[in-house]
Coordinates of all heavy atoms in Angstrom, one line a residue:
M1 N 73.5 49.0 -120.8 CA 73.3 48.4 -122.1 C 73.1 46.9 -121.9 O 73.9 46.3 -121.2 CB 74.4 48.7 -123.0 CG 74.2 48.2 -124.4 SD 75.6 48.5 -125.5 CE 75.1 50.0 -126.2
T2 N 72.0 46.3 -122.4 CA 71.8 44.9 -122.2 C 72.2 44.2 -123.5 O 72.6 44.8 -124.5 CB 70.3 44.6 -122.1 OG1 69.6 44.9 -123.3 CG2 69.7 45.5 -121.0
V3 N 72.3 42.8 -123.4 CA 72.7 42.0 -124.5 C 71.7 42.3 -125.7 O 72.2 42.3 -126.8 CB 72.7 40.5 -124.1 CG1 72.8 39.6 -125.3 CG2 73.8 40.2 -123.1
E4 N 70.4 42.4 -125.4 CA 69.5 42.7 -126.5 C 69.8 44.0 -127.2 O 69.6 44.1 -128.4 CB 68.1 42.8 -125.9 CG 67.4 41.4 -125.5 CD 67.3 40.5 -126.7 OE1 66.7 40.9 -127.7 OE2 67.9 39.4 -126.7
D5 N 70.3 45.0 -126.5 CA 70.7 46.2 -127.2 C 71.8 46.0 -128.2 O 72.0 46.8 -129.1 CB 71.2 47.3 -126.1 CG 70.1 47.7 -125.2 OD1 68.9 47.7 -125.7 OD2 70.4 48.1 -124.1
M6 N 72.6 45.0 -128.0 CA 73.8 44.8 -128.8 C 73.5 43.8 -130.0 O 74.3 43.5 -130.8 CB 75.0 44.2 -128.0 CG 75.4 45.2 -127.0 SD 77.0 44.8 -126.1 CE 76.4 43.4 -125.1
K7 N 72.2 43.4 -130.1 CA 71.8 42.4 -131.1 C 71.6 43.1 -132.4 O 70.8 44.0 -132.5 CB 70.6 41.6 -130.6 CG 70.2 40.5 -131.6 CD 69.2 39.6 -130.9 CE 67.8 40.3 -130.9 NZ 66.8 39.4 -130.3
L8 N 72.2 42.5 -133.5 CA 72.0 43.0 -134.8 C 71.4 41.9 -135.6 O 71.2 40.8 -135.1 CB 73.3 43.5 -135.4 CG 74.1 44.6 -134.6 CD1 75.5 44.8 -135.2 CD2 73.3 45.9 -134.7
D9 N 71.1 42.2 -136.9 CA 70.7 41.0 -137.8 C 71.8 40.7 -138.7 O 72.9 41.3 -138.7 CB 69.4 41.3 -138.4 CG 69.5 42.4 -139.5 OD1 70.6 42.6 -140.1 OD2 68.4 43.0 -139.8
G10 N 71.6 39.7 -139.6 CA 72.6 39.1 -140.4 C 73.2 40.1 -141.5 O 74.3 40.0 -142.0
N11 N 72.4 41.2 -141.7 CA 72.9 42.2 -142.7 C 74.1 42.9 -142.1 O 75.0 43.4 -142.9 CB 71.8 43.3 -142.9 CG 70.7 42.7 -143.7 OD1 70.8 42.1 -144.8 ND2 69.5 42.8 -143.2
A12 N 74.3 42.9 -140.8 CA 75.5 43.5 -140.2 C 76.8 42.8 -140.6 O 77.9 43.5 -140.5 CB 75.3 43.5 -138.7
I13 N 76.7 41.6 -141.0 CA 78.0 40.9 -141.4 C 78.0 40.6 -142.9 O 78.8 39.8 -143.3 CB 78.2 39.6 -140.5 CG1 76.9 38.6 -140.6 CG2 78.5 39.9 -139.1 CD1 77.2 37.3 -140.1
G14 N 77.1 41.2 -143.6 CA 77.0 41.0 -145.1 C 78.3 41.3 -145.8 O 78.8 40.5 -146.6
G15 N 78.9 42.4 -145.4 CA 80.2 42.8 -146.1 C 81.3 41.8 -145.7 O 82.1 41.5 -146.6
L16 N 81.3 41.4 -144.5 CA 82.4 40.5 -144.0 C 82.2 39.1 -144.7 O 83.2 38.5 -145.1 CB 82.3 40.3 -142.5 CG 83.3 39.4 -141.8 CD1 84.7 39.8 -142.1 CD2 83.0 39.3 -140.3
L17 N 81.0 38.7 -144.9 CA 80.8 37.4 -145.6 C 81.2 37.5 -147.0 O 81.7 36.5 -147.6 CB 79.3 37.0 -145.4 CG 78.8 36.6 -144.0 CD1 77.3 36.3 -143.9 CD2 79.6 35.5 -143.4
I18 N 81.0 38.6 -147.6 CA 81.4 38.8 -149.0 C 82.9 38.7 -149.1 O 83.5 38.0 -150.0 CB 81.0 40.2 -149.6 CG1 79.5 40.2 -149.8 CG2 81.7 40.5 -150.9 CD1 78.9 41.5 -150.2
E19 N 83.6 39.3 -148.1 CA 85.1 39.2 -148.0 C 85.5 37.8 -147.9 O 86.5 37.3 -148.6 CB 85.6 39.9 -146.8 CG 86.1 41.3 -147.0 CD 86.7 41.9 -145.7 OE1 87.6 41.3 -145.1 OE2 86.1 42.9 -145.2
I20 N 84.8 37.0 -147.1 CA 85.3 35.6 -146.8 C 84.9 34.6 -148.0 O 85.7 33.8 -148.4 CB 84.7 35.1 -145.5 CG1 85.2 35.9 -144.3 CG2 85.0 33.6 -145.3 CD1 84.6 35.6 -143.0
F21 N 83.6 34.8 -148.4 CA 83.1 33.8 -149.4 C 83.1 34.3 -150.8 O 82.8 33.6 -151.8 CB 81.6 33.4 -149.0 CG 81.6 32.6 -147.7 CD1 81.2 33.2 -146.5 CD2 81.9 31.2 -147.7 CE1 81.1 32.5 -145.4 CE2 81.8 30.5 -146.6 CZ 81.4 31.1 -145.4
G22 N 83.3 35.6 -151.0 CA 83.3 36.2 -152.3 C 81.9 36.4 -152.9 O 81.8 36.6 -154.1
T23 N 80.9 36.2 -152.1 CA 79.5 36.4 -152.6 C 78.6 36.9 -151.5 O 78.9 36.6 -150.3 CB 78.9 35.1 -153.3 OG1 77.7 35.4 -153.9 CG2 78.7 34.0 -152.3
D24 N 77.5 37.5 -151.8 CA 76.6 38.0 -150.8 C 75.7 36.9 -150.3 O 75.0 36.2 -151.0 CB 75.7 39.1 -151.4 CG 74.8 39.7 -150.3 OD1 74.8 39.3 -149.1 OD2 73.9 40.6 -150.7
L25 N 75.9 36.5 -149.0 CA 75.1 35.4 -148.4 C 73.9 35.8 -147.6 O 73.2 35.0 -147.1 CB 76.0 34.6 -147.5 CG 77.1 33.8 -148.2 CD1 77.9 33.0 -147.2 CD2 76.6 32.8 -149.2
T26 N 73.7 37.1 -147.5 CA 72.6 37.6 -146.6 C 71.2 37.0 -147.1 O 70.3 36.8 -146.3 CB 72.5 39.1 -146.5 OG1 72.4 39.7 -147.8 CG2 73.7 39.6 -145.8
G27 N 71.0 36.8 -148.4 CA 69.8 36.3 -148.9 C 69.7 34.8 -149.0 O 68.7 34.2 -149.3
S28 N 70.9 34.2 -148.7 CA 71.0 32.7 -148.7 C 70.3 32.1 -147.6 O 70.2 32.6 -146.5 CB 72.4 32.3 -148.7 OG 73.1 32.8 -149.9
M29 N 69.8 30.8 -147.8 CA 69.0 30.1 -146.8 C 70.0 29.3 -146.0 O 70.7 28.5 -146.5 CB 67.9 29.2 -147.4 CG 66.9 30.0 -148.2 SD 66.0 31.2 -147.2 CE 64.9 30.1 -146.3
G30 N 69.9 29.4 -144.6 CA 70.7 28.6 -143.8 C 69.8 27.7 -142.9 O 68.7 28.1 -142.6
I31 N 70.4 26.5 -142.6 CA 69.6 25.6 -141.7 C 70.4 25.4 -140.5 O 71.6 25.0 -140.5 CB 69.4 24.2 -142.4 CG1 68.5 24.5 -143.7 CG2 68.7 23.2 -141.5 CD1 68.2 23.2 -144.5
C32 N 69.8 25.5 -139.3 CA 70.4 25.4 -138.0 C 70.6 23.9 -137.7 O 69.7 23.1 -137.9 CB 69.4 26.0 -137.0 SG 70.0 25.8 -135.3
S33 N 71.9 23.6 -137.3 CA 72.2 22.2 -136.9 C 71.5 21.8 -135.7 O 71.2 20.6 -135.5 CB 73.7 22.1 -136.7 OG 74.4 22.2 -137.8
S34 N 71.2 22.7 -134.8 CA 70.6 22.3 -133.5 C 69.1 22.0 -133.7 O 68.6 21.0 -133.2 CB 70.8 23.5 -132.6 OG 70.2 23.2 -131.3
C35 N 68.3 22.9 -134.3 CA 66.8 22.7 -134.3 C 66.3 22.5 -135.7 O 65.1 22.1 -135.8 CB 66.1 23.9 -133.7 SG 66.1 25.4 -134.7
G36 N 67.1 22.7 -136.7 CA 66.6 22.4 -138.1 C 65.8 23.6 -138.7 O 65.3 23.5 -139.8
A37 N 65.7 24.7 -138.0 CA 65.0 25.9 -138.5 C 65.8 26.4 -139.8 O 67.0 26.3 -139.8 CB 64.9 27.0 -137.5
Q38 N 65.0 26.8 -140.7 CA 65.5 27.3 -142.0 C 65.2 28.8 -142.1 O 64.0 29.2 -141.8 CB 65.0 26.5 -143.1 CG 65.5 27.0 -144.5 CD 65.1 26.0 -145.6 OE1 64.5 25.0 -145.4 NE2 65.3 26.5 -146.8
G39 N 66.1 29.6 -142.5 CA 65.8 31.0 -142.8 C 67.0 31.7 -143.4 O 68.1 31.2 -143.5
P40 N 66.8 32.9 -143.9 CA 67.8 33.7 -144.5 C 68.9 34.1 -143.5 O 68.6 34.3 -142.4 CB 67.1 34.9 -145.1 CG 65.9 35.1 -144.3 CD 65.5 33.7 -143.8
V41 N 70.2 34.1 -144.0 CA 71.3 34.6 -143.2 C 71.0 36.0 -142.6 O 71.4 36.2 -141.5 CB 72.6 34.5 -144.0 CG1 73.8 35.2 -143.3 CG2 73.0 33.1 -144.4
A42 N 70.3 36.8 -143.4 CA 70.0 38.2 -142.9 C 69.1 38.1 -141.6 O 69.1 39.1 -140.9 CB 69.3 39.0 -144.0
G43 N 68.5 37.0 -141.4 CA 67.6 36.9 -140.3 C 68.2 36.3 -139.0 O 67.5 36.2 -138.0
L44 N 69.5 36.0 -139.1 CA 70.2 35.5 -137.8 C 70.3 36.7 -136.8 O 70.4 37.9 -137.2 CB 71.6 35.0 -138.2 CG 71.6 33.8 -139.1 CD1 73.0 33.4 -139.5 CD2 70.9 32.6 -138.5
D45 N 70.4 36.3 -135.6 CA 70.7 37.3 -134.5 C 72.2 37.4 -134.4 O 72.9 36.4 -134.1 CB 70.1 36.9 -133.2 CG 68.6 37.0 -133.2 OD1 68.1 37.8 -134.0 OD2 68.0 36.4 -132.4
V46 N 72.8 38.6 -134.7 CA 74.2 38.8 -134.7 C 74.7 39.6 -133.6 O 74.1 40.6 -133.3 CB 74.6 39.4 -136.1 CG1 76.1 39.8 -136.1 CG2 74.4 38.4 -137.2
Y47 N 75.8 39.1 -132.9 CA 76.4 39.9 -131.8 C 77.8 40.1 -132.2 O 78.6 39.2 -132.4 CB 76.4 39.0 -130.5 CG 74.9 38.7 -130.1 CD1 74.3 37.6 -130.6 CD2 74.2 39.5 -129.3 CE1 73.0 37.3 -130.3 CE2 72.9 39.3 -128.9 CZ 72.3 38.1 -129.4 OH 71.0 37.8 -129.1
I48 N 78.2 41.4 -132.4 CA 79.5 41.7 -132.9 C 80.4 42.1 -131.7 O 81.6 42.4 -131.9 CB 79.5 42.8 -134.0 CG1 78.9 44.1 -133.4 CG2 78.8 42.4 -135.2 CD1 79.1 45.3 -134.4
H49 N 79.8 42.2 -130.5 CA 80.6 42.6 -129.3 C 81.0 41.4 -128.5 O 81.6 41.5 -127.5 CB 79.8 43.6 -128.5 CG 79.5 44.8 -129.2 ND1 80.4 45.8 -129.5 CD2 78.3 45.3 -129.7 CE1 79.9 46.8 -130.1 NE2 78.6 46.5 -130.3
A50 N 80.6 40.2 -129.0 CA 81.1 38.9 -128.3 C 82.6 38.8 -128.7 O 83.1 39.6 -129.5 CB 80.4 37.7 -128.9
P51 N 83.3 37.9 -128.0 CA 84.7 37.7 -128.5 C 84.6 37.1 -129.9 O 84.1 36.0 -130.1 CB 85.2 36.6 -127.5 CG 84.4 36.7 -126.3 CD 83.0 37.1 -126.8
G52 N 85.0 37.9 -130.9 CA 84.7 37.6 -132.3 C 83.2 38.0 -132.6 O 82.6 38.7 -131.8
I53 N 82.8 37.5 -133.7 CA 81.4 37.7 -134.1 C 80.6 36.4 -134.0 O 81.1 35.4 -134.4 CB 81.4 38.3 -135.6 CG1 82.1 39.6 -135.6 CG2 80.0 38.3 -136.2 CD1 82.4 40.1 -137.0
V54 N 79.4 36.5 -133.4 CA 78.6 35.3 -133.2 C 77.2 35.6 -133.9 O 76.6 36.6 -133.7 CB 78.4 35.0 -131.7 CG1 77.4 33.9 -131.5 CG2 79.8 34.7 -131.1
A55 N 76.8 34.6 -134.7 CA 75.4 34.7 -135.2 C 74.6 33.5 -134.7 O 75.0 32.3 -134.8 CB 75.5 34.6 -136.8
R56 N 73.5 33.8 -134.1 CA 72.6 32.8 -133.5 C 71.3 32.5 -134.3 O 70.8 33.5 -134.9 CB 72.3 33.2 -132.1 CG 73.5 33.2 -131.1 CD 73.0 33.6 -129.7 NE 74.1 33.5 -128.8 CZ 74.5 32.4 -128.1 NH1 73.8 31.3 -128.3 NH2 75.5 32.5 -127.3
C57 N 70.8 31.3 -134.2 CA 69.5 30.9 -134.7 C 68.5 31.8 -134.0 O 68.4 31.8 -132.8 CB 69.3 29.5 -134.5 SG 67.7 28.9 -134.9
R58 N 67.6 32.3 -134.8 CA 66.5 33.2 -134.2 C 65.5 32.3 -133.5 O 64.7 32.7 -132.6 CB 65.9 34.0 -135.2 CG 65.0 35.2 -134.7 CD 64.8 36.2 -135.7 NE 65.9 37.2 -135.8 CZ 65.9 38.2 -136.6 NH1 64.9 38.5 -137.4 NH2 66.9 39.0 -136.6
N59 N 65.4 31.0 -133.9 CA 64.4 30.1 -133.3 C 64.9 29.5 -132.0 O 64.1 29.5 -131.0 CB 64.1 28.9 -134.3 CG 63.0 28.0 -133.9 OD1 61.9 28.5 -133.6 ND2 63.3 26.7 -133.9
C60 N 66.1 29.0 -131.9 CA 66.5 28.3 -130.7 C 67.7 28.9 -130.0 O 68.2 28.4 -129.0 CB 66.9 26.8 -131.0 SG 68.4 26.6 -131.9
E61 N 68.3 30.0 -130.6 CA 69.4 30.7 -130.1 C 70.7 30.0 -130.1 O 71.7 30.5 -129.5 CB 69.1 31.3 -128.7 CG 67.9 32.2 -128.6 CD 67.7 32.8 -127.2 OE1 68.3 32.4 -126.3 OE2 66.9 33.7 -127.1
A62 N 70.8 28.8 -130.7 CA 72.1 28.1 -130.9 C 73.0 29.0 -131.7 O 72.6 29.7 -132.7 CB 71.9 26.8 -131.5
V63 N 74.3 28.9 -131.5 CA 75.3 29.6 -132.3 C 75.4 28.8 -133.6 O 75.7 27.6 -133.7 CB 76.7 29.6 -131.6 CG1 77.7 30.2 -132.5 CG2 76.6 30.4 -130.3
M64 N 75.2 29.5 -134.7 CA 75.3 28.9 -136.0 C 76.6 29.3 -136.7 O 77.0 28.6 -137.6 CB 74.1 29.3 -136.9 CG 72.8 28.7 -136.5 SD 71.4 29.2 -137.6 CE 71.9 28.6 -139.2
L65 N 77.2 30.4 -136.3 CA 78.3 30.9 -137.1 C 79.2 31.7 -136.1 O 78.7 32.5 -135.4 CB 77.8 31.7 -138.2 CG 78.8 32.3 -139.2 CD1 78.1 32.4 -140.6 CD2 79.2 33.7 -138.8
K66 N 80.5 31.5 -136.1 CA 81.4 32.3 -135.4 C 82.5 32.7 -136.3 O 83.1 31.9 -137.1 CB 82.0 31.5 -134.2 CG 81.1 31.3 -133.0 CD 81.8 30.6 -131.9 CE 81.7 29.1 -132.1 NZ 82.2 28.3 -130.9
I67 N 82.9 34.0 -136.2 CA 84.0 34.5 -137.0 C 85.0 35.2 -136.0 O 84.5 36.1 -135.3 CB 83.6 35.5 -138.0 CG1 82.5 34.8 -139.0 CG2 84.7 36.0 -138.8 CD1 81.8 35.8 -139.9
V68 N 86.2 34.8 -136.0 CA 87.2 35.5 -135.2 C 88.3 36.0 -136.2 O 88.8 35.2 -137.0 CB 87.8 34.6 -134.1 CG1 89.0 35.3 -133.4 CG2 86.8 34.1 -133.2
R69 N 88.7 37.2 -136.1 CA 89.7 37.7 -137.0 C 90.9 38.3 -136.2 O 90.7 38.9 -135.1 CB 89.1 38.9 -137.8 CG 87.9 38.4 -138.6 CD 87.5 39.4 -139.6 NE 88.2 39.1 -140.9 CZ 88.1 39.9 -141.9 NH1 87.5 41.1 -141.9 NH2 88.7 39.6 -143.1
S70 N 92.1 38.2 -136.8 CA 93.2 38.9 -136.3 C 93.7 39.7 -137.5 O 93.0 39.8 -138.5 CB 94.3 37.9 -135.9 OG 95.0 37.3 -137.0
E71 N 94.8 40.4 -137.4 CA 95.3 41.2 -138.5 C 95.7 40.3 -139.7 O 95.7 40.8 -140.8 CB 96.5 42.0 -138.0 CG 96.1 43.2 -137.1 CD 97.3 44.0 -136.7 OE1 98.4 43.9 -137.4 OE2 97.2 44.8 -135.7
T72 N 96.0 39.1 -139.4 CA 96.5 38.3 -140.5 C 95.7 37.0 -140.8 O 96.0 36.3 -141.7 CB 98.0 37.8 -140.3 OG1 98.0 37.1 -139.0 CG2 98.9 39.0 -140.2
R73 N 94.7 36.7 -140.0 CA 94.0 35.4 -140.1 C 92.5 35.6 -139.8 O 92.1 36.5 -139.1 CB 94.5 34.4 -139.0 CG 95.9 33.9 -139.2 CD 95.9 32.7 -140.1 NE 97.3 32.1 -140.2 CZ 98.2 32.5 -141.0 NH1 98.0 33.5 -141.8 NH2 99.4 31.9 -141.0
T74 N 91.7 34.7 -140.4 CA 90.3 34.7 -140.1 C 90.0 33.2 -139.7 O 90.3 32.3 -140.4 CB 89.4 35.1 -141.3 OG1 89.7 36.4 -141.6 CG2 87.9 35.0 -141.0
W75 N 89.3 33.0 -138.6 CA 88.8 31.7 -138.2 C 87.3 31.7 -138.3 O 86.6 32.6 -137.8 CB 89.1 31.4 -136.7 CG 90.6 31.2 -136.5 CD1 91.2 30.0 -136.5 CD2 91.6 32.2 -136.2 NE1 92.6 30.2 -136.2 CE2 92.8 31.5 -136.0 CE3 91.6 33.6 -136.1 CZ2 94.0 32.2 -135.8 CZ3 92.7 34.2 -135.8 CH2 94.0 33.6 -135.6
L76 N 86.8 30.7 -139.0 CA 85.4 30.6 -139.3 C 84.8 29.3 -138.8 O 85.3 28.2 -139.2 CB 85.2 30.7 -140.8 CG 83.8 30.6 -141.4 CD1 82.9 31.7 -140.9 CD2 83.8 30.5 -142.9
D77 N 83.9 29.3 -137.9 CA 83.3 28.1 -137.3 C 81.8 28.0 -137.7 O 81.0 28.8 -137.3 CB 83.4 28.2 -135.8 CG 82.8 26.9 -135.1 OD1 82.0 26.2 -135.8 OD2 83.0 26.7 -133.9
L78 N 81.5 27.1 -138.6 CA 80.2 26.9 -139.1 C 79.6 25.6 -138.6 O 78.6 25.0 -139.1 CB 80.2 26.8 -140.7 CG 80.3 28.2 -141.4 CD1 80.6 27.9 -142.8 CD2 79.0 29.0 -141.2
S79 N 80.1 25.1 -137.5 CA 79.7 23.8 -137.0 C 78.2 23.8 -136.5 O 77.5 22.8 -136.5 CB 80.5 23.3 -135.8 OG 80.6 24.3 -134.8
G80 N 77.6 25.0 -136.3 CA 76.2 25.1 -135.9 C 75.3 25.2 -137.1 O 74.1 25.4 -136.9
T81 N 75.9 25.2 -138.3 CA 75.1 25.4 -139.5 C 75.1 24.1 -140.3 O 76.1 23.6 -140.6 CB 75.6 26.5 -140.4 OG1 75.6 27.7 -139.6 CG2 74.8 26.7 -141.6
R82 N 73.9 23.5 -140.5 CA 73.8 22.3 -141.3 C 74.1 22.6 -142.7 O 75.0 21.9 -143.3 CB 72.4 21.7 -141.1 CG 72.3 20.3 -141.7 CD 70.9 19.7 -141.5 NE 70.5 19.6 -140.1 CZ 69.3 19.5 -139.7 NH1 68.3 19.4 -140.6 NH2 69.0 19.4 -138.4
T83 N 73.5 23.5 -143.4 CA 73.8 23.9 -144.7 C 73.5 25.4 -145.0 O 72.7 26.0 -144.2 CB 72.9 23.1 -145.8 OG1 71.5 23.4 -145.5 CG2 73.1 21.6 -145.7
I84 N 74.1 25.9 -146.0 CA 73.8 27.2 -146.5 C 73.5 27.0 -148.0 O 74.4 26.5 -148.7 CB 74.9 28.3 -146.3 CG1 75.0 28.6 -144.8 CG2 74.5 29.6 -147.0 CD1 76.1 29.6 -144.5
E85 N 72.4 27.5 -148.4 CA 72.0 27.3 -149.9 C 72.1 28.7 -150.5 O 71.4 29.6 -150.1 CB 70.6 26.8 -149.9 CG 70.0 26.6 -151.3 CD 68.5 26.3 -151.3 OE1 68.1 25.7 -150.3 OE2 67.8 26.6 -152.3
T86 N 72.9 28.7 -151.6 CA 73.0 30.0 -152.3 C 72.6 29.8 -153.8 O 72.7 28.7 -154.3 CB 74.5 30.5 -152.3 OG1 75.3 29.6 -153.1 CG2 75.0 30.6 -150.9
A87 N 72.1 30.9 -154.4 CA 71.8 30.8 -155.8 C 73.1 30.9 -156.6 O 74.0 31.5 -156.2 CB 70.9 32.0 -156.2
V88 N 73.1 30.2 -157.7 CA 74.2 30.2 -158.7 C 73.9 31.4 -159.7 O 72.8 31.5 -160.2 CB 74.4 28.9 -159.4 CG1 75.5 29.0 -160.5 CG2 74.6 27.8 -158.4
E89 N 74.9 32.2 -159.8 CA 74.8 33.4 -160.8 C 74.7 32.8 -162.2 O 75.4 31.9 -162.6 CB 76.0 34.3 -160.7 CG 76.2 34.9 -159.3 CD 75.2 36.0 -159.0 OE1 74.8 36.6 -160.0 OE2 74.9 36.2 -157.8
G90 N 73.7 33.3 -163.0 CA 73.6 32.9 -164.3 C 74.7 33.4 -165.2 O 75.5 34.3 -164.8
P91 N 74.9 32.9 -166.4 CA 76.0 33.3 -167.3 C 75.7 34.8 -167.8 O 74.6 35.2 -167.8 CB 75.9 32.3 -168.5 CG 74.6 31.7 -168.4 CD 74.1 31.9 -167.0
Ligands
LIG101 ZN1 68.0 26.6 -134.2

């Protein structure tokens, strides 16, 4: 099995992001800190077999998001993400 075989897209972490942020971010636009590429979270390359979960920019392969979980804690590293833009739910 190669690394490419283990690559998923951002939809694979949709449920986990809802748990952490309380909203579905897969359709939200993220901007890569490394190269400035913009695209939906669903379009990130996701590796769930890394130590923790890693989501990489599809353009430059920089790590945009890391999530590490234990039974009692979640560590979230967004240092590779410049911004995430989400729609505000209407009333
Ligand atoms: Zn990038």
Side-chain angles (χ1 to χ4, degrees):
M1 184 181 268
T2 68
V3 170
E4 283 299 303
D5 292 332
M6 296 188 290
K7 183 167 76 178
L8 302 170
D9 68 26
N11 291 304
I13 55 171
L16 178 58
L17 294 176
I18 290 172
E19 261 182 62
I20 295 171
F21 292 101
T23 188
D24 183 4
L25 291 180
T26 54
S28 299
M29 298 301 283
I31 297 178
C32 174
S33 288
S34 178
C35 74
Q38 181 174 349
V41 171
L44 297 175
D45 288 336
V46 170
Y47 300 87
I48 61 173
H49 299 288
I53 293 166
V54 172
R56 292 181 177 273
C57 173
R58 196 163 275 181
N59 186 54
C60 74
E61 299 186 350
V63 174
M64 289 180 64
L65 184 148
K66 284 185 275 188
I67 302 169
V68 176
R69 303 190 93 187
S70 74
E71 287 182 17
T72 57
R73 294 269 189 276
T74 298
W75 290 267
L76 178 65
D77 180 344
L78 282 167
S79 57
T81 299
R82 190 179 300 164
T83 60
I84 293 178
E85 175 188 339
T86 66
V88 176
E89 299 287 330

